[in-house]
Amino acid sequence: MPAIVGAVQVMNIGSSGVFHIGDVFQLTPISTAKTFAGAGSFNTGETLAIQNYQSATNTFDNDGIDQGINFNV
């Protein structure tokens, strides 16, 4: 269902970001990334009390390809 959108101000879009307003049939990525992070790595805030006594991040990936983006143009 169409919508009426007021003023939109976009400050920044990354190199593989998507900016979308309105109806859309399909959004497809044109780049991929794999991120490995341990416990508590992406916590944000002013006062955090994080207690990770033993943490290990398994970065072993036995398959060569996770998900392709071959036909995204």
Side-chain angles (χ1 to χ4, degrees), residues 16-18 26-32 67-73:
S16 61
V18 175
Q26 182 177 9
L27 294 174
T28 56
I30 57 172
S31 69
T32 60
Q67 182 176 356
I69 56 169
N70 300 334
F71 299 107
N72 297 343
V73 209

Side-chain angles (χ1 to χ4, degrees), residues 29-64:
I30 57 172
S31 69
T32 60
K34 184 180 290 188
T35 303
F36 297 105
S41 296
F42 297 116
N43 292 329
T44 57
E46 292 182 14
T47 55
L48 294 175
I50 303 167
Q51 298 174 355
N52 296 325
Y53 296 109
Q54 290 182 341
S55 175
T57 302
N58 183 8
T59 59
F60 177 71
D61 188 10
N62 59 356
D63 57 347

